[in-house]
Amino acid sequence: MDTTSDSKRLGAVKLSRVTFRATNRDSDPTALKNPTVAQSSRGTANVKPPPSEGSSKPTETKRPTQSISMSGLLAAQRMTLRLKNQAALRRKARARTPNRKPITIINEQVPSGSANPSQRFPYSLAKELMQEFLTSKLRNLTYDPSTTADLTKNMCEDIKKMVRRVTPPRYKLICNMAIGSKNQEDILMTSQCLWDSYSDNVTSCSFQNSTMFCVVSVFAVYFE
């Protein structure tokens, strides 16, 4: 009994060994050395292992390609044409508007206590007339002390009559003239008056030739 049982046990062991070798004959010889690799190869090959926590390589994601349709292009062209037409209409509207007259914001203020004449004394025009008169009268004259007094008096009257023609009404004119010899000396003439600086005014001019000089001033005082 003991020997048969031992023989059966040995035969069973041998049979199991032969069966084990027959089933693994066609397998990969590397699977015997690495059984874990053989087990993993029997699974699905499409499953990718999860990325390791230590790896910093970002995962590549495919972006969907953008496609431009023909209707979108036509809509963009229509919008561009509409904006161009609006800009052209605005330019035409600006060109049609007439030039506006300048608006006077600050008016000349009359000081309190001053006279307000309807027309003020034209001092620039009076100066031009006086300059032409002196040039025509004294261009060819020679200084003579004996005739200078009468010459000064007559010229003052002529200048007042001439300036009176361009002077507005209610103005009084005062003419002051000085004639002297020209002998390498310098002369300085000043005047000072107490008057209304808004309505009253003054103009002056001078002339000289090789022998004499002449300085004339005309004061215009408004009288109410």
Side-chain angles (χ1 to χ4, degrees), residues 127-139:
K127 183 175 182 179
E128 292 179 1
L129 295 175
M130 291 163 55
Q131 191 68 47
E132 293 177 359
F133 178 79
L134 292 179
T135 304
S136 61
K137 282 288 184 178
L138 304 176
R139 182 185 301 170

Side-chain angles (χ1 to χ4, degrees), residues 16-50:
S16 62
R17 289 179 180 176
V18 172
T19 304
F20 177 76
R21 290 177 180 176
T23 56
N24 291 287
R25 183 176 298 174
D26 297 332
S27 62
D28 190 2
T30 58
L32 298 175
K33 298 180 181 179
N34 298 324
T36 57
V37 177
Q39 292 178 2
S40 62
S41 62
R42 295 176 185 176
T44 59
N46 294 329
V47 178
K48 295 182 180 180

Side-chain angles (χ1 to χ4, degrees), residues 51-157:
S52 59
E53 296 180 357
S55 62
S56 60
K57 185 177 180 180
T59 58
E60 295 181 357
T61 58
K62 293 184 179 180
R63 297 180 180 179
T65 58
Q66 298 179 357
S67 61
I68 300 175
S69 61
M70 185 60 67
S71 60
L73 290 176
L74 294 176
Q77 291 178 358
R78 287 195 295 268
M79 181 63 69
T80 304
L81 182 60
R82 188 183 303 171
L83 293 176
K84 288 182 179 180
N85 293 333
Q86 291 178 359
L89 292 175
R90 285 196 295 267
R91 287 195 296 269
K92 290 181 180 179
R94 291 175 184 174
R96 292 176 182 175
T97 55
N99 295 328
R100 297 182 179 179
K101 296 181 179 180
I103 300 173
T104 304
I105 299 176
I106 301 174
N107 296 325
E108 188 176 8
Q109 301 294 328
V110 180
S112 59
S114 298
N116 188 13
S118 58
Q119 295 180 5
R120 302 181 67 180
F121 177 69
Y123 61 91
S124 59
L125 179 58
K127 183 175 182 179
E128 292 179 1
L129 295 175
M130 291 163 55
Q131 191 68 47
E132 293 177 359
F133 178 79
L134 292 179
T135 304
S136 61
K137 282 288 184 178
L138 304 176
R139 182 185 301 170
N140 299 322
L141 288 181
T142 304
Y143 178 74
D144 187 2
S146 60
T147 60
T148 301
D150 295 336
L151 179 63
T152 302
K153 184 178 179 180
N154 295 331
M155 289 181 64
C156 284
E157 293 297 329

